Amino acid sequence: MKDMKRTIKPDESEYEGGKVNPFSRRFFLKSSAAGAAALAFSQFGCTSSQKLAKETPKIQGFEDKSSVVDPYKGWVPFSNRKIKVGLVGYGVCKFGADFGFQNHPNVEVVAVSDLIPERCAEMAKVCNCSKTYPSLEELVKDKTIEAVFVATDAPNHMKHCLEVLKHGKHVAVAVPAVFGSLEDAEILFEAVKSSGLKYMMFETSMYRESCYAMHQIYKSGGFGEMVYSEGEYYHYMEQPIDSYQGWRIGLPPQFYPTHSNAFHVCVTGGSFTEVSCMGMPSIIGHLKPENNIYKNPFGTEIALFRTSEGGTSRMAVSWDTPGDHGERGRVRGQKGSFYEKFEGLEITLPELNRPPLPPEMPLGGHGGSHGYLTNEFVHSILQDRKPLIDIAMSLNLTVSGIVAHQSALKNGELMKIPQYRF
């Protein structure tokens, strides 16, 4: 496969911010080359006559707050150390500043960066930081920085994380981990393993109240063996949201699968081993193959996965169906199910509330998940442990979607998915 990263050639980023034999990733990469050819880009420009939304784009999820009354109750500080952090990417949604690094008592934001000077200056002001850099490549040279939050454009996530790791710094990154390339996933996996550094992808669904509760119940054995799970990410985009080099325009739905896939992978810590995915051709202009750089014809892709436990999972991503929107999921196990609440054989459940946050930390959007993600990343460094959403989970969340899109292009052909364990 001629991988997408090399075809699209993005030189810079938009700074916004059970029982189963595992399949060999290297074997899979070799055997899937022919089928992946349909994914290649033809050119970077597009012929769409659809105009970009002129108003400030509304990216769904940021407005979705948590209903928890006191998320700070029980917080006990355990360290006085402040980790020196660099933030990269502000963008149309002010993403780099929206996860509360500047509010965490164990963080000092020492530098920020955005390619657009005005945005960079605003992020510095919001984060109470006086040092700025014109690019990620310059910021990572700052030897005082210990960790970097990469909130850049999705096609450059892998490239930028490699750059951060190369300079000996821990890295947190927005979703997805890689963009359309199985080869990139392999490269990133090996780089993180060999670095000895912390890598965490900020998948917001992990810390939604429902998903976190499911995760706690699963760990305690409350569901038993998982039989079925499902998740949805519905985000209607009649008008394309502008982005660096137009990467969001015509985006294949299953290239952005982590918000829905989390309702199995983040619940169980498992993975998807094979997939059959059906795509629905879209009537929306920018989601027609002649109008986007991906040659993507689909606005909705519905994936049916086999899970590593031997169960089944349905995961949906849709850009072109108006109405109710959001990120949600539910699970069914041999001992219980969770459809907004637990129902099952267990009488005593574990603690389902998310861990307390420092009083200074805002919860943020996506169900109040932002602050918890930052807190988890910071604690993984302070405690020198693996972060909850490590490189293996990040890739299991992401790569399954890449293969799902390949399946959709082949009219739902059943395809095997590379497996990651760390």
Side-chain angles (χ1 to χ4, degrees):
M1 160 171 121
K2 187 175 181 181
D3 76 63
M4 297 192 168
K5 179 173 74 68
R6 290 187 176 85
T7 307
I8 196 169
K9 295 181 180 178
D11 295 320
E12 294 186 285
S13 69
E14 174 197 32
Y15 282 65
E16 51 171 275
K19 291 180 181 177
V20 64
N21 293 325
F23 302 105
S24 163
R25 298 188 305 278
R26 297 186 186 279
F27 172 80
F28 182 87
L29 289 168
K30 292 177 182 177
S31 64
S32 65
L39 293 174
F41 300 105
S42 63
Q43 58 181 12
F44 209 86
C46 77
T47 58
S48 175
S49 60
Q50 185 114 11
K51 293 182 180 180
L52 299 175
K54 292 183 179 180
E55 298 179 357
T56 302
K58 180 181 179 182
I59 299 179
Q60 293 170 352
F62 279 81
E63 78 287 359
D64 183 11
K65 306 299 182 183
S66 173
S67 60
V68 173
V69 176
D70 188 1
Y72 312 109
K73 184 178 180 180
W75 165 258
V76 178
F78 67 92
S79 174
N80 293 321
R81 187 165 96 79
K82 288 184 177 287
I83 300 165
K84 298 183 184 299
V85 174
L87 306 178
V88 186
Y90 202 51
V92 297
C93 56
K94 304 179 180 181
F95 206 62
D98 207 61
F99 285 76
F101 279 92
Q102 64 273 18
N103 302 103
H104 199 284
N106 296 110
V107 170
E108 178 188 355
V109 176
V110 298
V112 301
S113 179
D114 192 288
L115 287 179
I116 299 174
E118 294 79 11
R119 288 178 177 175
C120 190
E122 184 180 341
M123 181 160 62
K125 183 177 180 180
V126 168
C127 295
N128 194 28
C129 173
S130 60
K131 189 187 295 186
T132 63
Y133 289 98
S135 68
L136 175 143
E137 289 78 8
E138 290 300 314
L139 180 141
V140 294
K141 295 175 184 177
D142 188 328
K143 294 182 179 180
T144 66
I145 295 174
E146 301 174 67
V148 177
F149 177 43
V150 175
T152 61
D153 60 303
N156 270 312
H157 284 174
M158 176 265 197
K159 171 189 169 183
H160 288 151
C161 286
L162 290 182
E163 191 70 15
V164 174
L165 293 169
K166 185 175 74 174
H167 285 80
K169 305 178 192 306
H170 307 293
V171 61
V173 63
V175 303
V178 295
F179 195 74
S181 170
L182 300 178
E183 182 183 11
D184 280 0
E186 184 76 9
I187 293 169
L188 180 61
F189 185 66
E190 296 300 329
V192 174
K193 282 203 307 180
S194 63
S195 73
L197 296 164
K198 313 302 179 192
Y199 171 101
M200 179 172 163
M201 187 180 74
F202 274 29
E203 172 42 56
T204 55
S205 290
M206 173 75 260
Y207 276 102
R208 284 186 174 274
E209 292 170 70
S210 61
C211 191
Y212 187 80
M214 293 182 212
H215 175 63
Q216 295 297 95
I217 295 169
Y218 180 84
K219 285 197 307 178
S220 73
F223 292 123
E225 291 294 305
M226 197 68 75
V227 176
Y228 177 69
S229 58
E230 57 188 16
E232 301 102 15
Y233 177 31
Y234 298 139
H235 184 164
Y236 184 56
M237 289 188 283
E238 181 182 18
Q239 299 292 333
I241 298 173
D242 199 11
S243 47
Y244 181 72
Q245 296 188 338
W247 73 266
R248 289 185 186 272
I249 302 170
L251 175 69
Q254 287 288 345
F255 272 21
Y256 213 83
T258 65
H259 292 335
S260 47
N261 287 354
F263 286 94
H264 182 84
V265 176
C266 289
V267 172
T268 68
S271 60
F272 301 130
T273 60
E274 54 188 349
V275 60
S276 172
C277 182
M278 301 301 291
M280 275 54 76
S282 185
I283 61 173
I284 289 179
H286 67 98
L287 293 166
K288 293 181 179 293
E290 64 272 21
N291 293 338
N292 62 74
I293 58 177
Y294 310 100
K295 300 300 178 184
N296 169 48
F298 304 130
T300 297
E301 292 180 317
I302 311 296
L304 187 65
F305 293 104
R306 176 67 69 188
T307 73
S308 55
E309 289 184 306
T312 304
S313 184
R314 176 194 63 82
M315 295 294 169
V317 186
S318 178
W319 308 145
D320 62 347
T321 51
D324 183 44
H325 70 271
E327 304 144 15
R328 69 202 64 158
R330 54 212 68 83
V331 301
R332 302 191 71 88
Q334 294 175 339
K335 294 172 60 179
S337 302
F338 196 105
Y339 283 57
E340 298 184 350
K341 64 179 181 179
F342 177 79
E343 294 180 283
L345 305 179
E346 286 293 326
I347 298 175
T348 304
L349 294 177
E351 174 59 59
L352 302 185
N353 291 326
R354 296 173 292 188
L357 286 175
E360 301 92 333
M361 286 292 288
L363 288 125
H366 291 93
S369 64
H370 291 188
Y372 291 99
L373 288 162
T374 296
N375 192 55
E376 168 64 15
F377 179 60
V378 170
H379 281 201
S380 74
I381 297 172
L382 293 174
Q383 297 171 339
D384 191 22
R385 60 168 174 81
K386 184 174 69 172
L388 184 54
I389 311 170
D390 67 355
I391 183 60
M393 181 178 284
S394 300
L395 291 175
N396 287 329
L397 282 162
T398 302
V399 167
S400 48
I402 298 172
V403 182
H405 181 61
Q406 294 178 12
S407 172
L409 292 172
K410 293 184 171 188
N411 198 32
E413 179 180 318
L414 186 64
M415 302 182 73
K416 298 186 188 302
I417 302 168
Q419 302 293 289
Y420 297 90
R421 296 290 180 267
F422 187 44

